[in-house]
């Protein structure tokens, strides 16, 4: 047990998928894992452990934003021994050529700040994905035929953004999409020498203003979960 996770030692697998939404964790565990067992209910941030193709997997909600993800990822890595952490979540597309429901695999995550800002001080650390996971995810997506884009994303601290000029610069510099968690996950993976990746589904589009109807979100989410699971055990 940790401060924020009620699971017993051994109840968390070395491979952890982390959706922002705890109910997505429940849905993904019940849809994709064999024998899913709820291992965390603290603060309603649901976590489940089961198996996928015989491999133990935990799916643990991270909450929204880097401070929340950082709490769960720190405890998963430092207290429960998680070795592979894959964020599965939604993002807003930042390039014309990207469509709703497409998958974005985050090679790097740019940010204005992260919870690690304090220790990096004057350094602008470049949070990046584990290459093996990234390649395996890109291969799995290609095999499924899911339209997929691999490149840099932007981990923002705000959903209701009062600085559209920052988004403009991200778009101008080829950033594929915006979300709110990946950069700190990558920072922590680097710090503790574990593997991390973010696989994202495009739920809205910053240039066209379009967004996915909620009925469509589940099926789009399914492709992303399968890509993440395939990558973890490639
Ligand atoms: N901004 C930040 N995070 C997001 C967005 C967005 O537009 N869409 C999905 N996650």
């Amino acid at each position: 047990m940790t401060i924020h996770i009620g699971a017993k030692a051994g109840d968390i697998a070395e491979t952890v998928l982390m959706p922002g939404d705890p109910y997505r964790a429940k849905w993904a565990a019940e849809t994709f894992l064999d024998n899913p067992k709820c291992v965390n209910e603290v603060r309603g941030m649901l976590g489940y452990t089961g198996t996928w193709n015989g491999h133990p997997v935990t799916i643990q909600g991270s909450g929204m934003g880097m401070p929340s993800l950082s709490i769960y990822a720190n405890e998963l890595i430092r207290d429960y021994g998680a070795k592979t952490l894959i964020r599965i979540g939604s993002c807003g597309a930042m390039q014309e050529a990207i469509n709703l429901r497409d998958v974005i695999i985050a090679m790097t995550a740019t940010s204005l700040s992260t919870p690690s800002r304090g220790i990096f001080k004057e350094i602008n650390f470049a949070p990046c994905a584990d290459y093996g996971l990234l390649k395996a995810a890109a291969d799995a997506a290609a095999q499924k035929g899911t339209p997929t884009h691999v490149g840099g994303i932007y981990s923002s601290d705000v959903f209701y953004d009062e600085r559209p000029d920052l988004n403009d610069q991200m778009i101008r510099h080829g950033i594929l999409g915006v979300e709110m968690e990946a950069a700190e996950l990558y920072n922590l993976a680097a710090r503790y020498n574990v593997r991390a990746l973010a696989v994202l589904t495009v739920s809205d589009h910053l240039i066209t203003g379009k967004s996915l109807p909620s009925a469509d979100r589940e099926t789009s989410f399914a492709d992303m979960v399968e890509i993440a699971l395939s990558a973890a055990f490639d």
Side-chain angles (χ1 to χ4, degrees):
M1 241 170 102
T2 56
I3 294 174
H4 302 95
I5 302 176
K8 294 196 287 292
D11 274 354
I12 301 280
E14 284 193 358
T15 298
V16 185
L17 267 48
M18 301 187 77
D21 178 353
Y23 286 106
R24 287 278 186 213
K26 178 175 161 60
W27 171 81
E30 289 172 351
T31 307
F32 295 99
L33 301 188
D34 293 323
N35 304 313
K37 182 180 135 199
C38 184
V39 293
N40 187 48
E41 289 184 300
V42 177
R43 291 176 181 246
M45 196 56 77
L46 302 173
Y48 292 79
T49 297
T51 60
W52 181 79
N53 288 348
H55 303 287
V57 176
T58 295
I59 307 184
Q60 169 65 54
S62 71
M64 290 179 282
M66 290 185 268
S68 179
L69 173 129
S70 186
I71 289 171
Y72 294 101
N74 261 289
E75 293 181 12
L76 289 165
I77 297 167
R78 292 166 20 157
D79 300 299
Y80 291 99
K83 300 279 184 243
T84 297
L85 298 95
I86 305 182
R87 163 162 160 69
I88 48 173
S90 59
C91 71
M94 295 187 122
Q95 301 296 327
E96 301 270 8
I98 300 177
N99 295 308
L100 297 181
R101 297 184 198 82
D102 286 4
V103 163
I104 292 177
I105 300 174
M107 189 150 66
T108 60
T110 295
S111 67
L112 198 55
S113 183
T114 71
S116 299
R117 181 73 255 164
I119 63 169
F120 288 130
K121 298 182 183 163
E122 62 269 51
I123 292 287
N124 285 315
F125 184 74
C128 75
D130 176 85
Y131 178 70
L133 283 178
L134 179 95
K135 183 171 187 315
D139 290 347
Q143 200 162 23
K144 285 178 76 61
T146 308
T148 299
H149 312 265
V150 182
I153 63 158
Y154 174 40
S155 295
S156 173
D157 281 335
V158 280
F159 188 88
Y160 298 104
D161 201 341
E162 302 278 345
R163 289 284 308 275
D165 58 310
L166 295 178
N167 288 338
D168 291 345
Q169 290 301 340
M170 294 296 97
I171 292 167
R172 181 180 173 214
H173 287 81
I175 290 295
L176 302 178
V178 53
E179 52 83 80
M180 300 180 67
E181 292 82 15
E184 180 65 358
L185 180 64
Y186 289 4
N187 285 336
L188 292 171
R191 192 171 312 148
Y192 295 110
N193 192 26
V194 298
R195 307 194 302 166
L197 182 67
V199 182
L200 308 163
T201 300
V202 174
S203 61
D204 50 275
H205 207 297
L206 270 74
I207 298 172
T208 64
K210 289 184 186 154
S211 64
L212 270 190
S214 52
D216 284 18
R217 289 181 189 235
E218 202 156 280
T219 45
S220 310
F221 212 83
D223 277 359
M224 171 177 66
V225 178
E226 286 173 341
I227 290 167
L229 288 166
S230 302
F233 300 106
D234 185 58

